[in-house]
Amino acid sequence: MPSEHHKTVLITGSSRGIGRACALRLAQDGYDIVLHGKSMSPALEETQALVKEAGANVRVLTFDIRNRESVRKILTEDIETHGMYWGLVVNAGISHDVTFAGMEPEVWDEVIETNLQGFYNVVQPLVMPMVRARKGGRIVTVSSISGVMGNRGQVNYSAAKAALIGATKALALELASRRITVNAVAPGLIQTDMVDDFVTEHALPLIPMKRVGQPHEVAGAVAFLMSDEAGYITRSVIEIDGGLHG
Ligand code: NDP
């Protein structure tokens, strides 16, 4: 079944977890999908098969979002060949938790480079092509409630995710007159590879809804922000956290 409106959305980090759920939901909503992972993996292949099964046109890009030059080259070549994306979901990210007193420099750097520099590396080369396409567009960043509240053991991650919210809001101002909306989602504890049983056990008592969230519950908010109905929403942060922040 061909996609309905042929709007293409790139979702970084869509081999698994939240990114995969976003890709599947957006495929069901009729978008053409560009998947992305750090490298080709069985998970990424499986996501590709699932997106295809949902009836969407799909292609796959692989690059390390920390590698500025190769990201720019691969994205530029992809849009020259296939045309500019309508939407971006800036989702790829990592956490590496340790108390700040014991945080080695490389642990600080890898989390900042992936979550924050990754935003620059992916979004900056695409901004002018998106503006020049004159079709409007959508950018959704995946921050974290950790960037809103601060979280013990996550000084690096909270810093990167808070910075991502600042970047999102500032970029929203720069692109508003071009009908390109820029918003963030800030998930709480979502059941993916990123979260282990130890973290879940300790966090559960703090979550008013007393359960972890599921990736599709983040994907629902991302799909809404991507939709026509959300055309007047920009510079906002949607918290998806079972009431954790409030
Ligand atoms: P997963 O660990 O399940 O997936 C991470 C994804 O990011 C994978 O697709 C991975 O690709 C990709 N990725 C990681 N590092 C790189 C890199 N250097 N270059 C390219 N791709 C990379 O995580 P989640 O689905 O849980 O997280 C997705 C986003 O949601 C992240 O930004 C995370 O910070 C955020 N988030 C998650 C929460 C949670 O509780 N799970 C809560 C709040 C926010 P590959 O498979 O190839 O390694």
Side-chain angles (χ1 to χ4, degrees), residues 13 15-16 18 38 63-65 91 143 157 161 188 190 192:
S15 53
R16 49 204 168 92
I18 292 169
K38 186 152 75 173
F63 50 78
D64 187 329
I65 53 170
N91 165 76
S143 176
Y157 186 75
K161 292 299 193 183
I190 308 297
T192 70

Side-chain angles (χ1 to χ4, degrees), residues 111-121 159-161 163-164 167:
V111 169
I112 301 291
E113 279 166 16
T114 307
N115 296 290
L116 180 57
Q117 306 283 44
F119 167 86
Y120 177 87
N121 297 346
K161 292 299 193 183
L164 198 53

Side-chain angles (χ1 to χ4, degrees), residues 1 3 32 49 54 57 68 75 85 92-93 96 100 108 117 124 128 133 145 157 175 194 196 207 209 211:
M1 192 175 60
S3 301
D32 293 345
N57 295 318
R68 186 162 293 161
L75 289 176
Y85 320 117
H96 191 147
F100 195 57
W108 170 265
Q117 306 283 44
Q124 202 282 334
M128 271 323 290
I145 209 67
Y157 186 75
L175 298 179
M194 192 178 267
D196 60 29
I207 301 172
M209 294 193 80
R211 68 170 179 87

Side-chain angles (χ1 to χ4, degrees), residues 32-55:
D32 293 345
I33 300 296
V34 183
L35 296 172
H36 159 263
K38 186 152 75 173
S39 55
M40 209 57 210
S41 62
L44 189 50
E45 279 171 17
E46 194 183 318
T47 307
Q48 185 179 13
L50 290 168
V51 168
K52 233 182 232 165
E53 228 173 84

Side-chain angles (χ1 to χ4, degrees), residues 155-166:
V155 173
N156 52 358
Y157 186 75
S158 295
K161 292 299 193 183
L164 198 53
I165 289 175

Side-chain angles (χ1 to χ4, degrees), residues 10-136:
L10 165 68
I11 305 118
T12 66
S14 42
S15 53
R16 49 204 168 92
I18 292 169
R20 173 190 279 191
C22 291
L24 286 176
R25 172 58 198 270
L26 293 169
Q28 286 157 5
D29 287 357
Y31 297 89
D32 293 345
I33 300 296
V34 183
L35 296 172
H36 159 263
K38 186 152 75 173
S39 55
M40 209 57 210
S41 62
L44 189 50
E45 279 171 17
E46 194 183 318
T47 307
Q48 185 179 13
L50 290 168
V51 168
K52 233 182 232 165
E53 228 173 84
N57 295 318
V58 58
R59 60 180 187 275
V60 178
L61 301 176
T62 56
F63 50 78
D64 187 329
I65 53 170
R66 293 170 297 181
N67 189 338
R68 186 162 293 161
E69 283 320 307
S70 84
V71 176
R72 183 177 293 272
K73 187 167 177 292
I74 290 167
L75 289 176
T76 304
E77 280 171 11
D78 188 60
I79 61 173
E80 275 169 14
T81 309
H82 299 281
M84 185 48 200
Y85 320 117
W86 151 260
L88 309 177
V89 183
V90 185
N91 165 76
I94 58 160
S95 58
H96 191 147
D97 299 353
V98 54
T99 51
F100 195 57
M103 188 178 286
E104 298 292 342
E106 53 274 15
V107 174
W108 170 265
D109 289 345
E110 68 171 346
V111 169
I112 301 291
E113 279 166 16
T114 307
N115 296 290
L116 180 57
Q117 306 283 44
F119 167 86
Y120 177 87
N121 297 346
V122 169
V123 179
Q124 202 282 334
L126 297 175
V127 162
M128 271 323 290
M130 200 180 245
V131 167
R132 275 197 222 103
R134 294 183 173 275
K135 291 183 177 157

